Amino acid sequence: MIGMISVEHLKVEFSAKALFEDVSFVVNKRDRIALVGKNGAGKSTMLKIIAGLQQPTDGRVAVQREVSVGYLPQVMVLSDDTTVVAEVEKAFAHLHELRDHVAQLNQELMERTDYESPDYMELVEAFSRENDRLQMMGAQNYHAEIERTLSGLGFLRSDFERPTQEFSGGWRMRIELAKLLLARHDVLLLDEPTNHLDIESIRWLEQFLAHSGCAVILVSHDRAFINNVTNRTLEISCGKVVDYRVSYDEYVQLRAERRESQLRAYENQQKEIADLKDFIERFRYKPTKAVQVQSRIKQLEKIVPIEIDEIDTSRLHLKFPPCSRSGDYPVICDEVEKHYGEHVVFEQVNLTIKRGEKVAFVGKNGEGKSTLVKCIMEEIPHGGVLKIGHNVQLGYYAQNQAQLLDDELTVFDTIDHVAKGDVRLKIRDILGAFMFGGEASEKKVKVLSGGERSRLAMIKFLLEPVNLLILDEPTNHLDMRTKDVLKEAILAFDGTVIVVSHDREFLDGLVTKVYEFAGGRVREHLGGIYEFLRQKEITSLDEIGTQLSNNGTSPSASTSTNVNNNAPSEGALSYAEQKEAAKQRRKLEQAVKEAEKNIEQLEQQIAEVESQLSTPEGAANVELFTQHGELRKQLATAEEIWSEAVEALGD
């Protein structure tokens, strides 16, 4: 099978040191690839090379003709001079160009009078052909398509004409995702797409990638997201790429088994080498053993050293410095509210956070989580009474903290500029604990990866002793191992912690109370994140607030109703009900299989027709265009049937 993208003998060097070399792999249709490796291994660099934004030192990337590649960068740069609709319309630039070409051809036809000439007939055919292409590409209904897509991503109709600069990072990511979706790329390259996204957006992206027929290469440190999306894992390790054709969790297991096998083989080889060297040293000067010694020397020279997959054994020793004890109640909110003109961000917020508690702020983007944090920080005015307790020393880690670093400074200078007193004598030790030891401390900030920048920003954050931590999306850009270490450090911290995060894995086991932001209200839920999800009878945080919008009643009221009604639980279903449910599930699974088979057949037929259309004879055949349009309609219907069956199966 010929791949859509072929990476051949790729090599990248930085400062005469190879980041990776002799890397080869193929991306096939419908591949969902997770690109993994430690921070700085070259994952983002690999995506940029495949996207054509960066040139390798050696090797090449071959993309099949007519294969379109869409790239979502880790850090977006928007023009800020357009509205949401105008920005999304950029996905149809090719359609606008074709429409202008058709208009030009039409103008020529109107101006010419040589109706019987071969040139005029050629012009007629060209106009007919290009106009049919324009209609086939959906020139008449792309505005409706834009509206459906933006509405599906959570944008209100009133948002369509708002400037993009008015939106937060999460909403801008949705704009970029809308552009990628509407452009209908064959391959998507996504670099940390879940950063700055709320759970609703993450779940939408999971569904989009699952339903899309495109191939995906994904870099992410969100373990739940990777597991829900990918079916293949490419690991960058020791400057090489190892291909595991399994999902991430299976890859972790296989990698452990692979390394264990390598270790056994390595140990056996080392024993063999030691035995050979021992024999050579013992009998080197004995004439009677000269032949055997030479034989052992040749045998030793022929041994090919066994390589062991790289394991990052450096340990991030993260410990919050000791601090004085705060009062019993570091944060008290009494009827706190925040309005921007007529827009109500939240109101009637009543909460009390006790000393030593670790709580989470969760909810959709734009519901006021970061706004309340700013109120606590006394950065913005608000209504009601907000009290900060006695002797509270507050530390705030913003989600854009890593982007605020000076690119021209070195790692060492970045910390040296903020360190005070005795801490300056320990800068090298601190940097070493954060895996910036040796030459790494002399790197400039601008060459650091996203994860390395986040670690550096975390060092700056830790230099001041605090007893109230406020962390706004602290796991963005951090790899999974570093996230675990940060989580352990927060658990060991004896002060108070407020975490604004959408990372389910990170919050699990960390927080003991959840504050839900939805519909202009803040509601308290005792227990961890998954207790909260079960209490709300939802499977993910994207359903936060749906009870408000659907029923017009508060979630708390709904919850109390459920309790009073004593609705039977899933476990209380009778045997007959369970049997019927199993039967329905089997039917849905069969429907999914049939739909997938139908989609595959239709895609094959469309590919054959498109191959014919690419020839001059085919381009002039109107019937082929009609056939192509019908097949596309059938494919859309089949995909809708598949989507409904999958959704029903998930429910």
Side-chain angles (χ1 to χ4, degrees):
M1 184 179 180
I2 300 175
M4 301 170 74
I5 296 177
S6 179
V7 177
E8 302 170 3
H9 308 292
L10 213 62
K11 180 180 181 180
V12 173
E13 286 184 346
F14 284 122
S15 304
K17 184 181 178 182
L19 189 62
F20 46 75
E21 59 184 334
D22 198 25
V23 170
S24 300
F25 61 89
V26 173
V27 180
N28 301 308
K29 194 174 182 180
R30 291 187 177 275
D31 270 350
R32 307 281 196 272
I33 300 171
L35 191 60
V36 302
K38 69 174 186 176
N39 284 335
K43 302 186 294 295
S44 295
T45 301
M46 180 75 76
L47 289 189
K48 288 176 183 176
I49 291 172
I50 296 173
L53 302 176
Q54 186 172 323
Q55 293 301 312
T57 308
D58 198 10
R60 72 183 191 113
V61 175
V63 181
Q64 271 192 3
R65 193 164 58 95
E66 305 298 327
V67 169
S68 124
V69 179
Y71 173 57
L72 185 74
Q74 191 173 139
V75 179
M76 294 181 303
V77 180
L78 295 181
S79 58
D80 282 343
D81 59 355
T82 61
T83 63
V84 172
V85 166
E87 184 68 27
V88 173
E89 278 189 353
K90 292 178 182 179
F92 297 95
H94 63 292
L95 196 143
H96 295 318
E97 291 174 5
L98 182 58
R99 187 166 58 188
D100 292 342
H101 182 50
V102 170
Q104 184 184 348
L105 291 173
N106 187 46
Q107 185 65 31
E108 285 186 47
L109 286 172
M110 292 173 64
E111 292 174 353
R112 293 182 59 164
T113 56
D114 54 334
Y115 306 120
E116 302 299 327
S117 69
D119 286 348
Y120 186 85
M121 295 306 297
E122 210 173 289
L123 191 61
V124 170
E125 289 179 8
F127 171 78
S128 177
R129 182 172 63 251
E130 295 299 276
N131 189 56
D132 286 342
R133 277 185 62 206
L134 186 63
Q135 300 307 315
M136 186 180 68
M137 292 170 68
Q140 301 299 324
N141 62 355
Y142 80 91
H143 286 291
E145 199 171 347
I146 288 174
E147 188 175 325
R148 281 197 306 271
T149 304
L150 288 175
S151 298
L153 289 174
F155 289 91
L156 303 174
R157 200 175 292 271
S158 57
D159 294 330
F160 291 0
E161 299 300 330
R162 286 175 59 192
T164 57
Q165 61 185 1
E166 293 183 5
F167 291 88
S168 66
W171 288 99
R172 291 185 178 204
M173 182 69 81
R174 296 191 204 194
I175 294 171
E176 290 299 300
L177 287 173
K179 288 163 64 177
L180 283 178
L181 172 60
L182 291 165
R184 298 175 182 173
H185 294 293
D186 301 301
V187 182
L188 289 180
L189 310 175
L190 307 176
D191 194 356
E192 297 286 0
T194 62
N195 282 353
H196 310 295
L197 289 187
D198 58 27
I199 293 293
E200 178 178 312
S201 307
I202 293 172
R203 287 289 296 164
W204 172 84
L205 185 56
E206 287 177 355
Q207 292 299 314
F208 163 59
L209 295 176
H211 296 175
S212 162
C214 61
V216 177
I217 304 178
L218 169 70
V219 174
S220 177
H221 294 127
D222 187 329
R223 186 163 183 159
F225 179 74
I226 289 179
N227 279 321
N228 290 337
V229 170
T230 62
N231 56 18
R232 181 180 169 192
T233 307
L234 290 178
E235 179 195 31
I236 303 178
S237 176
C238 299
K240 306 291 183 184
V241 168
V242 185
D243 193 349
Y244 297 84
R245 295 186 175 274
V246 293
S247 63
Y248 183 80
D249 276 350
E250 292 176 277
Y251 144 75
V252 172
Q253 185 178 348
L254 287 175
R255 189 182 191 275
E257 293 173 358
R258 171 191 170 97
R259 195 168 189 277
E260 191 177 335
S261 175
Q262 288 174 340
L263 277 171
R264 284 198 299 268
Y266 176 80
E267 289 168 358
N268 291 333
Q269 188 182 68
Q270 291 301 304
K271 187 177 181 303
E272 182 186 356
I273 292 171
D275 290 343
L276 290 171
K277 287 181 176 179
D278 182 59
F279 184 92
I280 293 168
E281 289 300 319
R282 282 170 58 195
F283 301 109
R284 183 185 293 273
Y285 304 108
K286 291 191 176 183
T288 57
K289 297 285 187 180
V291 175
Q292 292 98 318
V293 167
Q294 287 301 314
S295 174
R296 297 296 195 285
I297 292 173
K298 289 179 181 179
Q299 194 176 341
L300 190 62
E301 289 172 350
K302 290 179 181 178
I303 292 177
V304 179
I306 293 173
E307 288 189 359
I308 303 173
D309 285 347
E310 183 179 27
I311 293 288
D312 192 2
T313 56
S314 55
R315 181 69 177 174
L316 176 56
H317 299 286
L318 181 56
K319 185 178 179 181
F320 294 98
C323 185
S324 57
R325 184 182 175 97
S326 71
D328 291 339
Y329 302 101
V331 180
I332 299 174
C333 293
D334 184 12
E335 297 293 319
V336 174
E337 59 183 31
K338 181 61 185 176
H339 300 237
Y340 288 108
E342 295 183 358
H343 176 62
V344 179
V345 182
F346 50 71
E347 58 186 2
Q348 298 178 15
V349 176
N350 295 286
L351 61 87
T352 300
I353 299 176
K354 298 178 183 177
R355 183 183 64 246
E357 281 190 328
K358 295 173 178 61
V359 305
F361 287 179
V362 302
K364 299 177 183 178
N365 285 340
E367 289 289 351
K369 303 183 301 295
S370 295
T371 303
L372 184 56
V373 167
K374 289 177 181 177
C375 293
I376 296 172
M377 296 286 297
E378 299 181 347
E379 291 183 358
I380 58 175
H382 57 83
V385 179
L386 200 162
K387 296 180 182 177
I388 302 298
H390 171 69
N391 198 33
V392 169
Q393 294 171 284
L394 200 152
Y396 176 50
Y397 183 85
Q399 57 180 289
N400 65 337
Q401 206 82 24
Q403 277 69 54
L404 300 177
L405 300 173
D406 189 338
D407 285 346
E408 296 304 318
L409 293 178
T410 65
V411 170
F412 182 89
D413 290 339
T414 299
I415 303 305
D416 189 44
H417 284 191
V418 296
K420 297 176 183 177
D422 294 340
V423 175
R424 298 194 66 186
L425 303 174
K426 302 178 181 177
I427 291 177
R428 295 286 182 189
D429 294 335
I430 294 170
L431 290 175
F434 278 79
M435 294 175 285
F436 287 115
E439 294 179 0
S441 65
E442 300 305 321
K443 286 184 178 178
K444 283 198 172 184
V445 171
K446 62 183 178 184
V447 303
L448 299 180
S449 68
E452 290 170 329
R453 292 176 72 105
S454 292
R455 288 207 306 273
L456 187 59
M458 189 66 71
I459 297 174
K460 289 185 66 178
F461 175 66
L462 292 176
L463 288 178
E464 295 288 337
V466 297
N467 51 32
L468 172 59
L469 287 175
I470 301 180
L471 307 170
D472 194 355
E473 300 292 351
T475 62
N476 283 353
H477 306 288
L478 294 184
D479 61 32
M480 295 176 193
R481 188 181 61 84
T482 308
K483 283 199 295 185
D484 290 340
V485 174
L486 176 61
K487 185 174 177 177
E488 290 172 10
I490 295 174
L491 283 168
F493 178 62
D494 58 3
T496 310
V497 182
I498 299 173
V499 185
V500 182
S501 178
H502 300 104
D503 192 326
R504 292 157 288 183
E505 296 289 331
F506 183 72
L507 293 176
D508 184 32
L510 177 63
V511 300
T512 55
K513 188 185 293 183
V514 176
Y515 287 99
E516 171 199 358
F517 287 68
R521 296 287 193 273
V522 179
R523 296 174 181 83
E524 179 184 282
H525 300 266
L526 299 177
I529 192 69
Y530 286 109
E531 284 86 353
F532 162 68
L533 296 176
R534 284 193 291 271
Q535 181 185 349
K536 299 291 292 180
E537 297 183 358
I538 53 181
T539 57
S540 63
L541 294 176
D542 64 333
E543 295 183 38
I544 292 173
T546 55
Q547 292 168 316
L548 274 173
S549 58
N550 295 337
N551 305 327
T553 58
S554 70
S556 59
S558 176
T559 302
S560 63
T561 303
N562 290 341
V563 171
N564 293 334
N565 289 343
N566 293 319
S569 65
E570 188 179 343
L573 293 176
S574 68
Y575 174 74
E577 289 172 327
Q578 292 180 28
K579 190 174 178 182
E580 180 62 27
K583 184 180 177 182
Q584 292 298 324
R585 185 169 185 83
R586 285 195 298 272
K587 283 184 178 179
L588 287 168
E589 288 173 349
Q590 184 63 31
V592 169
K593 287 180 182 178
E594 290 176 359
E596 286 175 347
K597 186 177 179 182
N598 190 23
I599 289 170
E600 191 175 348
Q601 290 174 348
L602 287 167
E603 285 179 340
Q604 190 175 351
Q605 293 175 31
I606 289 170
E608 291 172 358
V609 173
E610 287 177 344
S611 177
Q612 296 178 49
L613 287 170
S614 63
T615 63
E617 297 82 8
N621 191 337
V622 179
E623 290 182 2
L624 278 178
F625 281 101
T626 306
Q627 185 184 353
H628 185 273
E630 287 297 321
L631 286 170
R632 293 293 302 183
K633 287 180 183 177
Q634 292 177 29
L635 180 61
T637 304
E639 287 177 341
E640 190 175 343
I641 293 170
W642 178 85
S643 177
E644 289 175 355
V646 169
E647 191 174 343
L649 194 60
D651 294 340

